[in-house]
Amino acid sequence: MTEKILILDFGSQYTQLIARRVRELNTYCEIVPYNKVPDLDESIKGIILSGSPFSVRQADSLRLDLSKLIGKRPVLGICYGAQLIADSYGGKVQQSEKREYGKAALTKIHVNDTFLKGVPTDSQVWMSHADTIVKLPEQFELMASTESVEVAAFRAVNGAFGAPVYCIQFHPEVTHSLDGLTILRNFIYEIAGCKGDWTAAHFIEEKVAELQKSIGNERVLMGLSGGVDSTVAAELLHKAIGDRLICFFVDNGLLRKNEYQEVLDSYKVMGLNVVGIDAKQRFYDELAGATDPEKKRKIIGRVFVEVFQDEAHKLTGIDWLGQGTIYPDVIESVSVHGPSVTIKSHHNVGGLPDLLKLKIVEPLRSLFKDEVRRVGKELGIPLEILGRHPFPGPGLGVRILGDITPQKVALLQEADAIFTKNLKKFGLYDEVWQAGAVLLPIQSVGVMGDERTYEQPVVLRAVNSSDGMTAEWSRLPHEFLAAVSNEIVNNVKGINRVVYDISTKPPATIEWE
């Protein structure tokens, strides 16, 4: 049984970051809403209470019966979690005279404790709270202060509850807390007693055994995209059940230049049982005349399901549908705040399990994106797949603004290929998180030789991000941009202007549609 840390989510923007830091310490963890705490089985070694945008002073503040946690396992309360513990046990929390936000330094460490081992008295920490604890409950004692926050860290008096309780009003998970990882390491290893042996190799060994047990002698069908998530999920399934995994790779006519054949060739080298499906014309026919971004996405998603369903019905004896779902997708679906507002529809195989009457298997549903890549590397998946930039499910369909035609797709494929080729040539490809070209539905005047041109502009988009939730535009060298622009305009007939997008996310999205 894999040991783990349970993280209770009270809606903090940093909750996923806490989980990522715990995972960095080779310890498995799970995020659950504060009001959906599972039974504390032997695998749960410790519990972390996250921060929150709420205040414990509000009448509708987020609360739970702490007696079900305190004393049962070692507990760490962070920011709101600390204030909730203090308030619940008779302490006093009040609004700060001014919001305590930003960098601070520990000025006093009042007691020696394993929790703060290796943390100097002037350690920089990150504050982000409007409330502050002004009085501790009787069962707790002060551990550390900053210049403006007397109660920066406190603990349960030894033996007060039977299991340790530590609370801090700063955020150890952010990089601005310079010794934050040390504090988390102390809690996870020294206080909760975790071994820190959850590695990519350990995950693969456990997951393969789990898949073999759950799937048995049955067969799995899976749709591949050529991206990291679906490829790693397929390789795990292949390692577990061999050729009883059948994969579909659909050419929707909206892939990058030569991508369909290149990806098929890569999968054959890996030994996967892959069926290539050329459905380009079917997608083009259905998309004809559609210009609204949401309508285009829905058409692409619907036709993919139809194509997949038609091909699946040609097979017999399929019991499971494999999916490349990863942990951020799972977390979002059980968010404290409920479903997010739809910014744009996501392209997935929604509805397929019901249509095909198949059970779902998701080998990667417990992993973050960077962990997926580490598992893929451990599995020996080619670097050209693991290192690929993210690519939207609807493909170039959301990078061609306006209606989609085969001619426009060919135009954009050429421009995009030149952009990607030069990123690699200049040694910039691995420095950028995601890059691509966007074709605009307008024309602009240009001149080539003595001739006037009236052709389309293309936008180059390159961003840096860790998870796609926020993104900064990449500061690419001017000489690189000049080289790309020159090559596109001189070699792609139909494009006479190249521009570079310098918008961040938010307010802009990474894709234009």
Side-chain angles (χ1 to χ4, degrees), residues 357-405:
K357 296 180 172 56
L358 299 177
K359 297 173 282 188
I360 298 176
V361 57
E362 300 169 310
L364 305 178
R365 65 178 283 114
S366 65
L367 299 185
F368 286 105
K369 190 79 171 185
D370 53 335
E371 294 170 328
V372 173
R373 284 197 167 94
R374 285 201 290 273
V375 167
K377 185 177 181 181
E378 185 73 24
L379 286 167
I381 291 173
L383 289 178
E384 59 264 27
I385 290 181
L386 288 183
R388 289 179 75 209
H389 289 175
F391 190 60
L396 300 181
V398 292
R399 293 181 180 176
I400 297 173
L401 276 61
D403 68 319
I404 296 170
T405 66

Side-chain angles (χ1 to χ4, degrees), residues 54 137 144 498:
F54 295 92
V498 177

Side-chain angles (χ1 to χ4, degrees), residues 173-195:
E173 67 274 18
V174 301
T175 54
H176 297 301
S177 290
L178 300 183
D179 297 294
L181 200 60
T182 297
I183 292 171
L184 290 173
R185 181 185 292 110
N186 290 341
F187 177 76
I188 292 164
Y189 292 168
E190 305 292 341
I191 310 300
C194 293
K195 299 183 185 71

Side-chain angles (χ1 to χ4, degrees), residues 3 34 115 142 161 186 204 208 244 263 452 456 496 499:
E3 60 185 21
Y34 75 97
F115 180 70
L142 186 63
F161 297 102
N186 290 341
I204 293 168
V208 167
R244 283 184 289 114
V263 170
R452 176 183 183 274
Q456 288 180 265
N496 67 350
V499 299

